[in-house]
Each structure stands twice: as C-alpha cells, then as structure tokens.
Amino acid sequence: MRQPLHPAIAAAIARIPAFDMNDEAIQLARALPRPELATCEALDHREHLVPGEPPVRVVVRRPKGVDHALPCVYGIHGGGYVVDATATDDLVLDTWCQTLGVVGILVDYRLAPETPYPGPLEDCYAGLRWVVEHATELGVDPTRVGVFGDSAGGGLAAALALLARNRG
C-alpha cells in the first residue's frame, strides 16, 4: 500500500503538539494583539451597518477622485471561523483598490462557536445583497462583483457564491 504522505511531511506533522480548540483557546486567540494598519490616504474608507437581524458591519474602501462605477471585490476574512482576521484582508483590499482600480468591501461576519452555521454565511449574504442593492451610491458596477476569502473566508466565499446564485 502506498503511503498517503511523504515521510518527511508525516514526521513534521507528528511533531505538532496536540491542540484542543476549547473556549479558553478561542478566547486566547481572540485576545492576541492585531496589527493596527494605517488607513491608506489614496482611499476613502467608510463603515456601514447593513440593516437586519442582526445588523452586519461592512467596510467600503474606494479610490479617491474616481467618480464612475468600479468593479467590486467583496472580501470575507479568515480566522478559522472563530477569530476576526480582518487586518490581513484590509491590507490586501487597500492594495487591490489602488493597483486594480476596484472598490474593496470587507464584511464582518459573526464568529463561531457563538454563532453556528449558517449564521456567518447569512451575514456574508446580507452584506453582499446590500452591496448590490446600493451599488449606485457606493460607486460599484453591480455586474462586476466578485467574492474572495482565504482560509475560513475562502470556504465562506465559495458557499456565498453558490448561495447568491441559488437565490438569484
């Protein structure tokens, strides 16, 4: 029978200490300091609360001085579904807005385990729907909206794309 992992990789995995994802570990992860990133001067950053139960926070960044509709990148942060890891995606979206000429929007979904599935996905959907419904005032071309995420955000982005398609 063939080994599923290369021996060097299997040995490295064997050295990883056991980890119990319990309430204490989640609280410790959430308490870790997060980098405070300077707001990019070339972009307008605006926070909005999307109405709903519960309201969903989104942060919209748009290149300054652009008065026509732009494509939109709708981002969903990672963090293993339990930690808010928006700082990394803030930096990515700021860079993309400047270099690609897009509106970047990051949704702040509720976290597990306090909010079980499908709560976070519904938060992401509420934010995306709001973006499309308010595209004119946000300066977004509603026919050119893409979703992205990494780690947990990637899983939510894939599910969100299917959900948006299925709900029309």
Side-chain angles (χ1 to χ4, degrees):
M1 182 168 142
R2 190 171 174 196
Q3 287 289 332
L5 293 175
H6 186 280
I9 294 172
I13 290 173
R15 289 192 300 268
I16 297 172
F19 179 72
D20 184 17
M21 183 55 90
N22 56 32
D23 289 340
E24 182 181 1
I26 291 170
Q27 295 312 317
L28 286 171
R30 289 179 180 170
L32 290 172
R34 291 182 181 40
E36 289 294 324
L37 301 174
T39 301
C40 178
E41 296 297 321
L43 304 174
D44 281 323
H45 286 79
R46 297 180 194 259
E47 184 175 313
H48 299 271
L49 274 181
V50 174
E53 191 50 48
V56 176
R57 180 179 160 270
V58 295
V59 177
V60 179
R61 57 200 27 87
R62 178 180 174 77
K64 289 181 179 177
V66 178
D67 59 359
H68 59 278
L70 295 172
C72 175
V73 177
Y74 184 81
I76 305 171
H77 68 79
Y81 302 102
V82 299
V83 176
D84 176 354
T86 55
T88 302
D89 292 328
D90 280 334
L91 182 59
V92 168
L93 283 176
D94 279 2
T95 301
W96 287 353
C97 288
Q98 293 175 80
T99 59
L100 302 176
V102 297
V103 174
I105 300 176
L106 191 60
V107 63
D108 190 12
Y109 60 88
R110 292 171 293 159
L111 301 173
E114 295 85 358
T115 303
Y117 182 85
L121 178 59
E122 292 294 344
D123 293 348
C124 295
Y125 180 78
L128 180 62
R129 184 177 179 131
W130 180 85
V131 167
V132 173
E133 289 171 353
H134 294 84
T136 301
E137 66 195 70
L138 296 171
V140 167
D141 178 347
T143 67
R144 299 175 70 196
V145 177
V147 298
F148 96 98
D150 63 345
S151 190
L156 285 169
L160 178 60
L162 294 172
L163 183 64
R165 179 201 65 193
N166 293 347
R167 291 183 178 173

